[in-house]
Amino acid sequence: MRLKCPANFRIIRLPCTGKIDVIHILRAFEKGADGVYVVGCMEGDCHFKTGNFRARKRVAQAAAILDKIGVGGDRVKMYNLSSGEGPLFAQYSIEMDEKIRALGPSPIKVALQAKKEAA
Amino acid sequence: MIIADKKPIEEIIQEVKDYDRLLVLGCNECVTVCEAGGKKEVEVLASALRMHFIKEGKEKKIDERTLERQCDHEYLEEIRDVIDQYDAVLSLACGVGVQFTAEKYHSTPLIPGVNTCFLGANEQRGMWTERCQACGACILARTGGICPISRCAKRVMNGPCGGSSAGKCEINKDLDCAWQLIIDRLRDLGRLDDYEIVAPIKDWSTERSGGPRTVVREDVQV
């Protein structure tokens, strides 16, 4: 389809979004990610029945933790689409890229960089 | 099992903020099953704390460890060789584990990471309900397997009381009247005659009101 999408995100493949856990999202932030978005199948279409519902809850849990520690829960988001919706995948990546750019770099990343420069 | 609930992160941050080297210590038993203080929760909490303090520009060492149990000497011994590396331990075990760890490592401050709630069952995913108050003198044989001590708000021994209405307790319309449950079960078991037997005055000395308790079993002592 040769769709245009931002080149600044890294795709981590999972067998099902139900595999994702809160710690996976938090670790990404701990390593300096500015945002994380999870793309699962359409709700009701999960091959494993509830995988994407579980993922949605865990994304919400991660967001709540990020809010409490001052990183910002709006840096994580869950999207749903079907495997045939490549253009929508590209659209979501552009949307997330714009959202994170508007929020600016993650305070963790800023602090890690400051620490590196000081060393 | 012992049911615990997570403490708010804000409260934990306040408690640990003065320590530079912290060990987040989980427990593989009850608190793992009730998803409050197992390996997973240790990972998440430690990660959140590390991020919080990095953001604040504070240099802190926050490590993770999960023991098989924190209420047994042999498992607690596993951290003896590393305990000196930490200024404090944030224990996600129940109150028993926190205290036993504190007793064993006398010079290390212990901070609880969970609120220990009760002895209960996993009624459904994400929901735990109280079933036992460890009164030390079980009467379940007489009450159809339903405990009036833990499940009746008044701990009535010959119930129900006047607050039972349509099978519910007066303190909460969603709470089953324990004595209604007992009568229903005795009826189903064909043992409703047992209900007629007036329960004797309970000996509460085996309960908490008799002070902290100890069980000594000479037959299993070595």
Side-chain angles (χ1 to χ4, degrees):
Chain A
M1 281 193 237
R2 300 189 185 278
L3 299 162
K4 276 194 176 177
C5 61
N8 56 357
F9 67 93
R10 184 179 299 176
I11 295 177
I12 297 168
R13 292 192 293 178
L14 298 166
C16 167
T17 48
K19 170 69 186 163
I20 203 161
D21 218 324
V22 177
I23 188 63
H24 300 138
I25 299 170
L26 294 188
R27 280 219 185 103
F29 282 97
E30 215 180 327
K31 288 182 175 181
D34 293 317
V36 172
Y37 67 109
V38 179
V39 187
C41 299
M42 299 296 285
E43 290 187 355
D45 279 350
C46 178
H47 182 70
F48 306 103
K49 291 188 176 177
T50 54
N52 46 10
F53 289 111
R54 286 170 196 261
R56 183 168 289 280
K57 279 201 163 184
R58 289 167 191 162
V59 166
Q61 286 167 23
I65 293 170
L66 291 169
D67 262 336
K68 282 178 186 167
I69 59 172
V71 176
D74 40 7
R75 292 180 180 276
V76 286
K77 195 165 178 183
M78 171 98 193
Y79 290 104
N80 296 89
L81 47 71
S82 83
S83 56
E85 291 179 304
L88 200 55
F89 181 83
Q91 186 192 316
Y92 287 157
S93 63
I94 293 164
E95 189 182 307
M96 196 66 188
D97 178 64
E98 285 170 355
K99 186 180 170 188
I100 299 299
R101 279 182 193 283
L103 288 170
S106 147
I108 305 296
K109 188 181 186 175
V110 172
L112 287 173
Q113 274 171 352
K115 194 177 154 189
K116 207 173 170 185
E117 280 162 20
Chain B
M1 65 177 163
I2 295 169
I3 308 299
D5 199 3
K6 290 178 178 176
K7 268 190 186 291
I9 289 184
E10 304 91 313
E11 184 184 335
I12 294 174
I13 288 170
Q14 276 304 310
E15 295 291 342
V16 304
K17 66 180 189 324
D18 297 328
Y19 302 109
D20 290 334
R21 301 173 305 163
L22 187 71
L23 177 65
V24 185
L25 192 64
C27 181
N28 243 343
E29 295 285 342
C30 314
V31 287
T32 294
V33 183
C34 66
E35 301 180 52
K39 189 166 179 275
K40 251 184 182 181
E41 290 74 27
V42 166
E43 286 178 336
V44 169
L45 181 59
S47 174
L49 290 175
R50 278 194 296 266
M51 281 198 276
H52 172 80
F53 290 116
I54 287 171
K55 188 177 71 62
E56 301 278 298
K58 290 177 184 161
E59 191 78 32
K60 283 188 195 284
K61 168 187 157 91
I62 299 174
D63 290 342
E64 307 161 15
R65 185 88 179 248
T66 301
L67 301 179
E68 193 57 34
R69 278 197 289 280
Q70 287 187 35
C71 53
D72 261 324
H73 287 293
E74 56 264 49
Y75 298 115
L76 274 178
E77 281 299 326
E78 289 174 10
I79 55 166
R80 184 165 296 284
D81 56 338
V82 295
I83 195 80
D84 291 340
Q85 297 170 19
Y86 302 100
D87 299 327
V89 172
L90 173 63
S91 169
L92 298 198
C94 68
V96 180
V98 175
Q99 290 184 64
F100 214 48
T101 310
E103 285 168 31
K104 205 159 188 66
Y105 301 109
H106 196 65
S107 56
T108 306
L110 254 289
I111 299 139
V114 300
N115 290 322
T116 308
C117 302
F118 49 77
L119 301 181
N122 192 353
E123 195 152 311
Q124 63 186 58
R125 185 78 203 270
M127 180 185 179
W128 296 270
T129 49
E130 188 164 17
R131 286 288 185 280
C132 179
Q133 291 204 339
C135 72
C138 193
I139 53 159
L140 285 169
R142 297 202 300 268
T143 57
I146 292 153
C147 177
I149 310 297
S150 60
R151 302 188 65 184
C152 167
K154 285 180 178 170
R155 300 168 144 202
V156 168
M157 297 298 292
N158 294 286
C161 73
S164 177
S165 172
K168 299 292 176 187
C169 177
E170 66 181 336
I171 68 159
N172 182 346
K173 63 178 171 47
D174 297 323
L175 186 70
D176 286 327
C177 167
W179 274 98
Q180 183 70 55
L181 297 176
I182 291 169
I183 293 165
D184 291 347
R185 183 126 204 272
L186 287 175
R187 183 188 295 121
D188 293 346
L189 293 171
R191 289 180 43 204
L192 209 48
D193 287 348
D194 286 4
Y195 178 59
E196 299 292 325
I197 303 166
V198 176
I201 294 168
K202 187 171 166 63
D203 174 10
W204 289 103
S205 65
T206 57
E207 201 249 8
R208 243 306 280 167
S209 45
R213 295 164 286 177
T214 305
V215 172
V216 180
R217 287 269 312 277
E218 286 180 5
D219 57 327
V220 292
Q221 283 179 337
V222 284

